Amino acid sequence: WGAFIFKQDLLRLSHKMKSGKSKIISFLKNYWPLLGYILISIVFLFPILGQQGVPFKYDWNWPIFSLTEFWRGLSGPSSMGLAGSLGKYSSAILGLPGLLHIPPPIGLKLFLILIHTAAGYGFYLFVSKRIKSKFIAFISGLAYAFTPYIFIRTIVGFIFSLISYAVLPFFLSSYLAEKRKFWQYLLPGFLFLLIFSQTQAGVLVFLFLLVNLVFSANKSTLSKFILTMLSALFLLSPWLLVSILAGNNNQPVAGGETVTLNFIASLSHSLRNVLTLSDHHITVRYFYHLMRQPVEFLGFALIYLITVLSIFDRKNRSLILSLIATALLVLPFSIGPTGRFAAIYTFIFNLFPQ
């Protein structure tokens, strides 16, 4: 009888081990891209992760060192007027390390790992729903997560640009997904507000949505656009109320636009650097030479070629045409307030708070 009980215990133990092993295998099978992006992000960021303190300068003003400043930023008046409400959700998220008492050096490094991982995995999910090959989708995510653009924003401390860049693939996936209930539009509405915490990114995405209306040209896309904007406005309304109670008016504080425009106009711009997402005056000396290496240049050329050839895929044609058309509309303005489109650039720059 004792031998029988022992045998049953062994069988149960064996069953638990097999069950646990199958769960691990199932997890790895479903989430290997996520684990891959985490590992690769750590490898790429290792020189930063190994440094002491906060190893950046320029525009880095985060992690939050003072919770007093954090709460003042959320509830106090903004120099951007009511438009400052657009970035409140991102600001609230950035305050989490302070609220959780995570030391700034650790919080910063976790933030960078999260940004690269989210960018890669989000783009993987977006592409994998549109092509059959998971491997190609994974490589696409790598290319998106480690472009010169994201490294430049890391160096100069454009925090909201990093958030917008990482959130963009998740927004596109949720926006383009089929939805039936209004509450299902809350997610793309929330993600849209996160993107709009960086004004230029928000305007660019809004332009893409308008262009997509043209190329899709159906009631479903129009209703999707309207309901997403309404959900974003609904989620924005509490922050608008807080902003009004804090004493903000409808207009941002003016004064620095002319100086900023003159500075942008004085910078040299390169079409090659723009097309390789590396056009920034602080890092131009590094990326100018890097992007003239045959391997890097051919890599970007291959990406653009694949994008153009994707037009022949009927399933994704309207999406690809929308992306290409949006890029072509924005391209003339990449050289700043100079040339034939200087007046339009200046008008848009002054229209939207920076």
Side-chain angles (χ1 to χ4, degrees):
W1 179 254
F4 175 76
I5 294 176
F6 180 71
K7 185 177 181 180
Q8 291 297 108
D9 290 340
L10 286 177
L11 289 174
R12 280 194 292 269
L13 179 61
S14 176
H15 177 72
K16 288 182 179 180
M17 292 178 65
K18 290 181 179 179
S19 177
K21 186 177 180 180
S22 63
K23 289 181 179 179
I24 293 175
I25 293 174
S26 176
F27 178 83
L28 293 175
K29 184 178 180 179
N30 293 326
Y31 295 100
W32 65 266
L34 176 61
L35 297 175
Y37 292 126
I38 293 174
L39 179 61
I40 295 172
S41 296
I42 292 174
V43 171
F44 273 45
L45 294 170
F46 191 76
I48 297 174
L49 301 180
Q51 295 186 41
Q52 298 295 321
V54 179
F56 292 115
K57 52 180 180 178
Y58 301 115
D59 286 355
W60 275 101
N61 58 2
W62 183 86
I64 300 296
F65 294 92
S66 169
L67 286 180
T68 302
E69 293 295 326
F70 166 68
W71 291 116
R72 184 181 294 121
L74 282 183
S75 59
S78 169
S79 61
M80 296 175 64
L82 292 179
S85 304
L86 292 166
K88 295 297 186 180
Y89 280 111
S90 291
S91 297
I93 292 173
L94 290 174
L96 288 177
L99 295 173
L100 298 175
H101 303 290
I102 299 175
I106 296 177
L108 171 63
K109 293 164 186 177
L110 290 176
F111 171 76
L112 292 177
I113 293 175
L114 178 61
I115 285 294
H116 284 272
T117 301
Y121 190 59
F123 201 78
Y124 164 81
L125 293 175
F126 174 69
V127 175
S128 63
K129 294 176 182 178
R130 288 159 178 80
I131 64 173
K132 296 180 179 179
S133 174
K134 301 295 183 183
F135 178 74
I136 294 178
F138 180 76
I139 297 300
S140 301
L142 280 180
Y144 183 81
F146 299 102
T147 61
Y149 178 93
I150 196 170
F151 282 120
I152 291 171
R153 270 65 194 170
T154 298
I155 292 170
V156 300
F158 289 173
I159 305 168
F160 294 117
S161 294
L162 291 173
I163 293 176
S164 300
Y165 189 81
V167 168
L168 178 59
F170 292 101
F171 168 75
L172 291 176
S173 294
S174 62
Y175 177 79
L176 296 173
E178 293 297 325
K179 293 174 282 292
R180 297 179 182 274
K181 308 286 186 180
F182 176 75
W183 63 267
Q184 294 176 310
Y185 289 89
L186 293 177
L187 177 58
F190 174 71
L191 295 176
F192 181 72
L193 291 178
L194 289 184
I195 292 173
F196 229 112
S197 62
Q198 206 278 330
T199 307
Q200 293 90 335
V203 173
L204 180 61
V205 171
F206 186 74
L207 176 62
F208 163 78
L209 297 180
L210 293 178
V211 172
N212 186 244
L213 286 176
V214 175
F215 284 103
S216 296
N218 56 62
K219 293 182 179 180
S220 175
T221 305
L222 179 60
S223 63
K224 189 180 298 183
F225 172 79
I226 293 174
L227 290 173
T228 298
M229 293 301 105
L230 287 176
S231 68
L233 183 61
F234 172 75
L235 293 171
L236 183 63
S237 56
W239 295 115
L240 289 174
L241 179 60
V242 170
S243 184
I244 292 172
L245 294 176
N248 278 324
N249 53 32
N250 292 324
Q251 297 297 326
V253 175
E257 291 87 350
T258 302
V259 175
T260 305
L261 281 170
N262 290 337
F263 174 72
I264 296 174
S266 68
L267 300 176
S268 60
H269 296 276
S270 163
L271 179 61
R272 183 195 293 257
N273 284 4
V274 170
L275 294 177
T276 54
L277 307 178
S278 58
D279 192 38
H280 195 279
H281 67 282
I282 291 178
T283 57
V284 67
R285 291 184 179 180
Y286 174 76
F287 284 104
Y288 181 87
H289 299 289
L290 179 64
M291 287 303 133
R292 276 154 180 74
Q293 298 297 322
V295 174
E296 283 78 7
F297 182 76
L298 289 176
F300 273 96
L302 179 61
I303 291 173
Y304 284 115
L305 177 61
I306 293 174
T307 302
V308 172
L309 293 178
S310 298
I311 295 175
F312 296 102
D313 181 5
R314 184 176 299 178
K315 177 183 176 182
N316 299 311
R317 184 174 297 165
S318 63
L319 173 63
I320 298 300
L321 286 174
S322 300
L323 290 171
I324 293 175
T326 303
L328 291 177
L329 286 173
V330 172
L331 189 60
F333 303 99
S334 63
I335 61 174
T338 59
R340 296 181 179 180
F341 300 96
I344 300 176
Y345 185 102
T346 303
F347 171 77
I348 295 175
F349 185 91
N350 292 324
L351 181 64
F352 294 98
Q354 302 304 304

